[in-house]
Amino acid sequence: VILAGSRDTKSSLSFLRNHETTLVKEIYSFISNQWALHVKLTIPDPLVVDDWEEYDQKIAQFHYSGKTPLNSFDRGFVSFASCGRIEFPEPANRNVNMLPFIFGDIDSLPDDLRCYYPLIEKCPYMSYEEGEVGYLTVHESYIDVGRAQRREGLHIEAPGVFSDIAKFSPGYEEECSWGMGFYQKPTEYEGGIFMASSVTDTSRVWDALVNNWVASIVDKHGGCEHLRCLLGEGTKLHAGELIWMTDCTPHEALPQAKSGFRQFFRVVTPYISHWYADHSTKNPKVEVPDDVTIVYGSKFK
């Protein structure tokens, strides 16, 4: 159909004529891939204008104003957005993962992490999330050239499902989340994940969403390297660039071009389903909420 349209001067696809070995080939390779229907290429955040709802009702149907973010893939149309720049505190080999804290309460942080409170407050979380439990990750370490500090390889934060559990019961979607995330409009994000690092070109993120509810499209830890051919080049982040993204947004850590100290900062909003005790940092000041399942033992077994 695409090829025929490119040869028809009355077809809207006629602009593809003479591009059969480039554009047409790329389009065909995308739609013929078995996973293509479950990978959504999204609108880059800078192209969404403030008054978009007034002139595009088709997109406006995705607008949502409840207190529980919707499924990131089904209603999402933007996968990540830049939220400005942050200044990191002096490094001191701090290393915490998914530490519970209270949004809007500096006293809920351990003393050595209070220097990260201004960075948390730079995250444009929703007003109704103030007072809720969020999850802070800080990783400060020296990284050798050619090594990555964080997880390499294409992945999303949300876990995958497999054939034996693909037919989940009602409510299961809410039980398998890692921040969720829904882009309401520019500068307004429900749920999701905020992150930044201190070294340029050591993180890459894509304008795309992956439907993690399709059995085996990602592994149990969100890995999806086999989808790289569908996504394009992605966007490398600058030092201090704070972004918001969903838990279905593909991203990866990149090896450093030269040896040096790197600081990584991440805030996950309250909408998680599981907290892995053996891989996370306890906070004596803040308990994990009762509606979050605490998992003991290695999550890799």
Side-chain angles (χ1 to χ4, degrees):
V1 174
I2 297 174
L3 188 59
S6 68
R7 304 295 176 85
D8 185 352
T9 57
K10 296 181 180 180
S11 171
S12 59
L13 297 175
S14 61
F15 73 95
L16 293 172
R17 188 178 180 85
N18 299 323
H19 297 286
E20 289 84 357
T21 61
T22 54
L23 287 175
V24 173
K25 184 179 178 180
E26 288 297 315
I27 293 171
Y28 178 77
S29 67
F30 182 88
I31 64 176
S32 63
N33 188 290
Q34 63 173 327
W35 300 120
L37 291 177
H38 311 296
V39 176
K40 182 188 297 184
L41 302 183
T42 55
I43 303 172
D45 168 63
L47 299 184
V48 182
V49 296
D50 289 334
D51 60 349
W52 60 277
E53 289 175 290
E54 296 181 8
Y55 67 84
D56 196 336
Q57 293 301 313
K58 183 175 290 187
I59 291 180
Q61 66 180 309
F62 295 120
H63 182 71
Y64 178 71
S65 57
K67 292 190 176 183
T68 302
L70 297 169
N71 178 275
S72 298
F73 180 85
D74 288 342
R75 297 172 175 83
F77 60 97
V78 173
S79 66
F80 82 95
S82 183
C83 304
R85 299 184 62 81
I86 58 173
E87 295 291 335
F88 281 85
E90 287 296 315
N93 290 308
R94 305 175 186 90
N95 190 1
V96 298
N97 186 57
M98 293 296 288
L99 177 132
F101 73 96
I102 305 296
F103 278 107
D105 183 3
I106 189 173
D107 293 331
S108 68
L109 292 170
D111 291 345
D112 64 328
L113 291 171
R114 291 187 178 185
C115 57
Y116 274 89
Y117 185 74
L119 281 69
I120 295 172
E121 287 301 292
K122 282 279 190 178
C123 300
Y125 59 89
M126 302 297 283
S127 59
Y128 57 73
E129 290 169 344
E130 186 168 341
E132 300 291 330
V133 175
Y135 303 88
L136 173 66
T137 296
V138 170
H139 191 177
E140 302 174 340
S141 61
Y142 186 89
I143 306 299
D144 291 326
V145 61
R147 303 293 296 271
Q149 182 189 47
R150 305 291 296 181
R151 181 179 175 182
E152 294 184 86
L154 193 68
H155 64 282
I156 63 175
E157 293 300 323
V161 298
F162 293 82
S163 57
D164 56 334
I165 57 173
K167 295 182 179 179
F168 45 81
S169 60
Y172 186 80
E173 291 185 16
E174 296 182 14
E175 299 172 0
C176 264
S177 56
W178 201 257
M180 296 186 180
F182 179 70
Y183 180 103
Q184 276 202 0
K185 60 182 180 179
T187 72
E188 288 192 16
Y189 322 106
E190 300 201 14
I193 300 163
F194 300 95
M195 74 172 190
S197 86
S198 62
V199 181
T200 294
D201 292 347
T202 53
S203 298
R204 179 158 45 199
V205 64
W206 277 264
D207 285 302
L209 294 170
V210 175
N211 187 357
N212 65 307
W213 297 115
V214 174
S216 302
I217 193 170
V218 299
D219 64 28
K220 293 180 180 179
H221 308 295
C224 53
E225 187 63 39
H226 58 288
L227 302 179
R228 189 179 292 271
C229 63
L230 301 175
L231 301 179
E233 295 184 0
T235 300
K236 293 181 180 179
L237 303 183
H238 299 292
E241 182 180 2
L242 178 67
I243 69 161
W244 168 91
M245 67 178 185
T246 80
D247 62 5
C248 290
T249 301
H251 60 286
E252 65 179 347
L254 299 172
Q256 293 196 182
K258 61 180 181 179
S259 299
F261 218 87
R262 184 180 190 259
Q263 293 168 270
F264 175 77
F265 164 77
R266 182 183 69 194
V267 169
V268 179
T269 54
Y271 315 103
I272 71 167
S273 57
H274 296 78
W275 189 81
Y276 294 90
D278 289 20
H279 302 273
S280 303
T281 307
K282 294 181 179 179
N283 185 353
K285 298 182 176 183
V286 179
E287 296 290 333
V288 175
D290 292 338
D291 60 351
V292 176
T293 300
I294 299 178
V295 180
Y296 297 95
S298 174
K299 67 179 180 180
F300 300 109
K301 292 183 179 179

